[in-house]
Amino acid sequence: MPQFNDTELTAAVIKSFEETPDPRVKFLMEELVKSLHEYVRKTDLTFDEWTYAIDVLTRTGQKCTSSRQEFILLSDVLGVSMLVDAVNHREREGATETTVLGPFYVGEHKPMPHGTDVSPGLSGESMFVQSRVTDLKGQPLAGVPVDIWHADDDGFYDSQKPNYETRGPSSRARFITDADGRFFFRTILPCSYPIPTDGPVGEMILQTRRHPMRPAHVHFLVDAPGYEPLVTHVFIEGDRYLDTDVVFGVKDELVAKIEKRTDALMPDGKPASAPWHLMSYDFRMRPGKGTAPKPMLTVTEDA
Ligand code: BEZ
Ligand code: FE
């Protein structure tokens, strides 16, 4: 008869999974139990602390709705999302670096003609984004869908605002690369913004005296058939939060120098109405397979 004291308990729980048919599930469950037990042992976790942890996880679940995923946010601020990304992208071979998808990807965007202003009517400094998608040898990849999305000048995504479904997308679009692998669009210069702090994740950030800011960036999801889907951001050089991103998502290679321009014409030959910014950034794709991520939102709304 096993004695369930603090040393033999772990072995007993691991043994309980021995009939698991799927070897990967068996391995994942065993390792999860080992790490959790190790944490409890190492910290001498008290009942109060255990109850608090259960309450935080409960409230994390309760905060999830069809448009908000508090568990992903928790994973992001604990560095788990970036770690999963890192272990799955160890070999880059010169391909563009990856980073977190984030909670504001809402699924495939509507294709728009090159040059479109994706932020019409929004306040902010104007920016022209030009880019090229190539393979590792620099050969252009044509006909590739590229989803882009970013926050507005107040630091909010369109999907965080009321009536998103009826108002339609803003600072969010899909472009299809041309024969030379290029795409370009107009928008506003994004600013740094706080992740949502009105839930248990924000509570933890504030209680531990961390700041909730992400440095300014534009998200890109490039999904070329025959290549690994690329989920990344391009960050704005000089942002004060580059070194302390709350979700640990910045990589040097993803920081772009944004040129301030006063030319009367933008690169597509159309007039510029004020001083404007130019973001130029090219994406190199690594051959492979994979499915582009889908937004991971809950099915039912709780309120
Ligand atoms: C974002 O960049 O949209 C984001 C990523 C992780 C957590 C919160 C926001
Ligand atoms: Fe973002």
Side-chain angles (χ1 to χ4, degrees):
M1 168 118 168
Q3 301 303 298
F4 296 138
N5 56 31
D6 76 341
T7 49
E8 291 179 27
L9 190 64
T10 307
V13 179
I14 287 173
K15 191 166 184 317
S16 76
F17 290 114
E18 70 186 359
E19 302 294 324
T20 309
D22 183 325
R24 177 70 181 166
V25 174
K26 180 169 183 277
F27 176 67
L28 292 176
M29 293 311 298
E30 289 171 353
E31 292 303 313
L32 178 67
V33 167
K34 278 189 213 165
S35 298
L36 280 175
H37 285 212
E38 184 58 17
Y39 179 83
V40 174
R41 240 180 243 116
K42 232 194 265 171
T43 58
D44 283 327
L45 199 70
T46 67
F47 274 110
D48 279 353
E49 289 159 349
W50 176 82
T51 308
Y52 184 80
I54 298 287
D55 179 58
V56 168
L57 292 176
T58 305
R59 288 187 292 115
T60 300
Q62 286 165 343
K63 201 73 191 167
C64 294
T65 69
S66 59
S67 57
R68 176 156 178 176
Q69 232 304 351
E70 192 78 358
F71 270 113
I72 296 188
L73 201 57
L74 181 61
S75 161
D76 292 340
V77 302
L78 294 179
V80 176
S81 307
M82 276 309 283
L83 191 55
V84 173
D85 186 67
V87 299
N88 281 279
H89 294 113
R90 285 194 170 112
E91 302 298 327
R92 296 311 292 149
E93 298 169 66
T96 302
E97 288 291 347
T98 53
T99 188
V100 284
L101 180 68
F104 302 120
Y105 180 59
V106 299
E108 273 184 32
H109 300 341
K110 192 164 148 252
M112 295 197 182
H114 292 187
T116 300
D117 179 359
V118 301
S119 303
L122 291 186
S123 62
E125 296 176 35
S126 108
M127 180 167 79
F128 190 92
V129 179
Q130 60 183 11
S131 181
R132 192 158 179 252
V133 178
T134 71
D135 65 12
L136 294 180
K137 294 196 185 102
Q139 293 304 309
L141 298 178
V144 174
V146 181
D147 284 339
I148 67 98
W149 66 107
H150 68 81
D152 66 14
D153 209 33
D154 295 324
F156 291 105
Y157 284 79
D158 55 359
S159 57
Q160 291 177 285
K161 295 190 183 157
N163 307 325
Y164 166 65
E165 274 79 13
T166 46
R167 281 152 53 122
S170 179
S171 308
R172 186 184 290 283
R174 165 169 288 200
F175 296 96
I176 311 288
T177 58
D178 67 13
D180 199 25
R182 296 182 192 282
F183 66 94
F184 54 91
F185 58 95
R186 292 168 167 71
T187 187
I188 52 167
L189 187 68
C191 59
S192 37
Y193 63 87
I195 60 163
T197 49
D198 59 342
V201 172
E203 201 176 281
M204 184 275 280
I205 293 292
L206 301 177
Q207 280 177 3
T208 55
R209 305 291 185 270
R210 287 171 60 177
H211 73 67
M213 301 300 289
R214 294 221 65 205
H217 58 271
V218 179
H219 293 254
F220 292 86
L221 195 169
V222 188
D223 190 15
Y227 294 82
E228 286 178 359
L230 175 67
V231 174
T232 198
H233 311 351
V234 176
F235 294 92
I236 311 292
E237 190 184 74
D239 190 289
R240 61 184 286 212
Y241 297 107
L242 282 172
D243 290 339
T244 59
D245 180 8
V246 66
V247 305
F248 311 96
V250 182
K251 294 176 178 173
D252 287 347
E253 194 203 280
L254 299 177
V255 179
K257 187 169 176 53
I258 310 298
E259 291 173 42
K260 198 153 191 179
R261 306 290 283 260
T262 49
D263 329 20
L265 300 180
M266 282 185 162
D268 61 354
K270 301 215 172 116
S273 55
W276 50 282
H277 302 269
L278 177 64
M279 174 190 275
S280 306
Y281 198 91
D282 294 343
F283 299 98
R284 290 176 309 278
M285 305 294 288
R286 183 170 184 259
K289 331 190 256 280
T291 320
K294 303 272 176 247
M296 224 192 284
L297 300 171
T298 51
V299 181
T300 50
E301 188 102 23
D302 65 350

